[in-house]
Amino acid sequence: MRDSIRIVRRGRIVEIDEVQPTETLLDYLRLRERATGTKEGCNEGDCGACTVVIGEWRDGRVVYRPVNSCIQFLGAMDGKEIVTVEDIAWPDGRLHPVQQAIVDAHGSQCGFCTPGIVMSLFALYHGEGRDGPPPRDEVVTALAGNLCRCTGYRPIVDAALVAMDGPPADRFVDAMSQTAGLLQFLADGQDVFIGSNSAFFAAPASLSVLAQLVVKYPEATLLAGGTDVGLKVTKGMRPISQVIYVSRVAALKQIEDVGDALILGAGVTYDDAAGVFADLDPDLGELIRRLGSRQVRAVGTIGGNIANGSPIGDMPPALIALGATLELAHGEEGRALPLEDYFIAYGKQDRQPGEFVAGLLVPKLAPNQVFRAYKISKRFDEDISAVMGAFRFTIDDGVITEARIAFGGMAATPRRALHAEARLVGAQPARAASWGAAIEALGDDYAPISDMRASAAYRMESAKALLAKALVECAGAPTSRTRVIGRREAPETEVA
């Protein structure tokens, strides 16, 4: 095993052998390198002031993605290029096209958030296949994770469109072959272990070594994207002395289409899964688009969202409604269980010591099945759900023959609505009178609580409304009447 990490910085390889288990990338940049252009704002991955860009060798090319450096652990950067706001201008002082456009469009006032905004736009500037301005809504999506109080977003968006009027043309394009060579050289397949048995950062490169480490250190914290674990350190002040980073294992980052289902490794990020899920159903694509920011989706994993067992995670209800099956591994052994059975109680999951989430099987929709998913939150973008509802109905000759309903935010775990499901069998979506009892049955399925995100009464009324909305849409009501965003074609029948 290697006892150091290696990164690419400013065109050269930097080897770091002193890495604390939970040292953040932001602290490394500001305190060790004194690269203070990257700012600390919220320190929880929310405001985007700390955004930097990581470069990786993937699918035969260098891929650039924005990340929140405040919640990314330094050890997880092994084998990657780190790009900060200080790095992107030309050596002779000429500004990067994104920087120059922001100056020209007056896209900065106090400037505190500007470095993070620049880096989010730098990642978009180097987006795959881009040879001209992206759609305006794509720029807006790219900036959803960057909060700015004083400038206003219009000049920033305008600047982005000007900067991206042609294909990428900066010094990173000029150095692309050199960068690709360095990143390929770092992809050595070595396992990393820095520290001692009592305090370490481990980054195995193979599934077998990962399994051995998890069995050997059953109390270690498993780290994937870090969007949840990072918060435990920066906001919860939780001391974590043993960290096993799982996202260097290539086998956990695979997506396989097996005909009637998708198989996803636990390390698949939301960015990587967005396309295949959107193909499975448009509502899944829209759900992922609103899940955190681009910085979060670039590293956050579906497996990690499941493993942490949050009652308000967005993906588990959708996956439960789809009938997903979870794969757990322990050493060389494995077991599968329905995803809904993984969540036992608040903070408790059916995962034994030495066991880890390895993958997920997600059935595709049959021709006679329809799916809907809706997220209710205070902020439209980058916010945790107050209520998340997902629905799959099997409909034959206008009659529901099977229903799967799952909610997040309605109980201590993501959970199915078994009473409501039973009442829907035999109902007709086109006849509202036939499913009124199912709506009321949600009161037998859930007893939500009040907290900072919503009251218990609001949650219950929202859940009932979302179920009714799903049924109305499936019956053929024009989605322009039921949707502000994510509009989709509806069947050509009307609700009676």
Side-chain angles (χ1 to χ4, degrees):
M1 286 191 178
R2 178 156 40 90
D3 61 357
S4 63
I5 67 165
R6 300 182 301 183
I7 62 175
V8 175
R9 284 289 285 139
R10 298 168 182 168
R12 64 186 183 91
I13 293 175
V14 176
E15 188 159 4
I16 309 167
D17 55 12
E18 294 183 7
V19 178
Q20 297 302 311
T22 59
E23 180 179 2
T24 66
L25 175 58
L26 178 63
D27 282 349
Y28 169 80
L29 292 171
R30 291 185 60 85
L31 303 180
R32 292 217 226 175
E33 282 196 7
R34 298 296 177 181
T36 55
T38 304
K39 306 304 182 186
E40 179 180 316
C42 64
N43 210 27
E44 59 184 24
D46 234 0
C47 73
C50 70
T51 301
V52 301
V53 167
I54 59 174
E56 296 180 273
W57 180 253
R58 303 181 61 185
D59 301 324
R61 63 183 291 266
V62 178
V63 176
Y64 286 112
R65 300 178 298 156
V67 300
N68 293 309
S69 61
C70 68
I71 54 174
Q72 284 295 295
F73 292 169
L74 176 61
M77 297 299 105
D78 182 69
K80 300 177 175 67
E81 180 186 18
I82 311 300
V83 185
T84 69
V85 71
E86 293 95 340
D87 306 333
I88 65 174
W90 273 273
D92 62 8
R94 284 181 296 148
L95 294 178
H96 187 275
V98 167
Q99 293 173 309
Q100 188 62 57
I102 285 181
V103 171
D104 295 341
H106 305 285
S108 178
Q109 288 192 40
C110 81
F112 189 85
C113 64
T114 304
I117 288 171
V118 166
M119 296 315 296
S120 287
L121 294 180
F122 173 87
L124 185 63
Y125 184 87
H126 282 280
E128 182 178 3
R130 190 192 67 77
D131 60 2
R136 192 177 187 91
D137 60 355
E138 189 174 327
V139 178
V140 171
T141 295
L143 291 170
N146 294 89
L147 304 184
C148 179
R149 287 192 61 178
C150 57
T151 303
Y153 293 97
R154 185 192 56 77
I156 298 171
V157 174
D158 289 346
L161 295 172
V162 169
M164 300 179 203
D165 194 28
D170 60 8
R171 71 184 194 85
F172 288 83
V173 173
D174 299 338
M176 194 62 73
S177 60
Q178 177 188 354
T179 302
L182 292 174
L183 291 174
Q184 289 178 78
F185 175 78
L186 292 186
D188 55 11
Q190 282 187 299
D191 303 306
V192 173
F193 191 97
I194 306 172
S196 63
N197 284 331
S198 59
F200 62 80
F201 184 96
S206 68
L207 194 59
S208 60
V209 174
L210 169 61
Q212 293 169 24
L213 286 171
V214 177
V215 170
K216 184 176 181 179
Y217 303 102
E219 300 301 317
T221 296
L222 301 186
L223 173 72
T227 58
D228 184 68
V229 175
L231 281 176
K232 293 176 180 177
V233 173
T234 62
K235 288 300 183 181
M237 303 300 175
R238 174 179 164 183
I240 299 176
S241 58
Q242 299 176 330
V243 176
I244 300 175
Y245 178 57
V246 306
S247 289
R248 286 184 72 235
V249 178
L252 294 184
K253 296 190 285 187
Q254 303 299 315
I255 302 175
E256 184 180 2
D257 189 326
V258 293
D260 60 351
L262 298 172
I263 299 176
L264 294 88
V268 171
T269 67
Y270 283 102
D271 256 4
D272 292 337
V276 294
F277 274 128
D279 289 342
L280 196 154
D281 189 88
D283 275 13
L284 288 170
E286 181 60 28
L287 177 63
I288 290 178
R289 191 184 71 81
R290 290 184 58 198
L291 193 149
S293 61
R294 178 76 201 282
Q295 293 93 317
V296 168
R297 296 191 299 274
V299 291
T301 65
I302 294 175
N305 194 200
I306 291 169
N308 68 26
S310 170
I312 47 176
D314 285 334
M315 284 308 293
L319 294 170
I320 289 171
L322 287 168
T325 300
L326 193 64
E327 179 190 355
L328 296 164
H330 185 282
E332 297 182 357
E333 304 296 323
R335 66 183 176 109
L337 76 161
L339 178 58
E340 62 210 74
D341 295 339
Y342 174 73
F343 305 100
I344 298 173
Y346 182 78
K348 184 178 181 181
Q349 296 86 47
D350 185 2
R351 182 158 54 91
Q352 306 304 313
E355 196 171 43
F356 64 93
V357 175
L360 191 71
L361 185 143
V362 183
K364 294 182 181 179
L365 295 170
N368 63 339
Q369 291 178 330
V370 293
F371 177 84
R372 292 293 187 272
Y374 313 112
K375 171 175 177 168
I376 303 294
S377 58
K378 288 185 176 181
R379 276 198 322 247
F380 182 78
D381 285 312
E382 203 189 1
D383 200 5
I384 294 172
S385 294
V387 178
M388 163 63 209
F391 315 89
R392 191 190 75 182
F393 306 125
T394 303
I395 303 175
D396 292 308
D397 296 325
V399 176
I400 296 174
T401 58
E402 187 233 12
R404 289 182 67 93
I405 300 168
F407 279 98
M410 293 291 290
T413 63
R415 203 169 74 194
R416 285 177 66 182
L418 298 177
H419 290 88
E421 290 177 1
R423 293 293 183 92
L424 278 176
V425 174
Q428 302 175 51
R431 292 185 61 249
S434 70
W435 38 260
I439 301 291
E440 295 306 316
L442 288 175
D444 299 321
D445 288 309
Y446 303 107
I449 64 169
S450 297
D451 60 19
M452 67 180 72
R453 294 186 180 90
S455 67
Y458 177 85
R459 283 189 160 107
M460 181 56 72
E461 287 305 309
S462 294
K464 291 179 178 180
L466 293 182
L467 176 53
K469 176 176 178 171
L471 290 163
V472 166
E473 287 189 2
C474 293
T479 55
S480 60
R481 300 178 186 174
T482 55
R483 300 270 180 132
V484 176
I485 50 101
R487 294 181 181 176
R488 51 192 292 172
E489 294 182 7
E492 306 224 351
T493 55
E494 291 291 340
V495 179

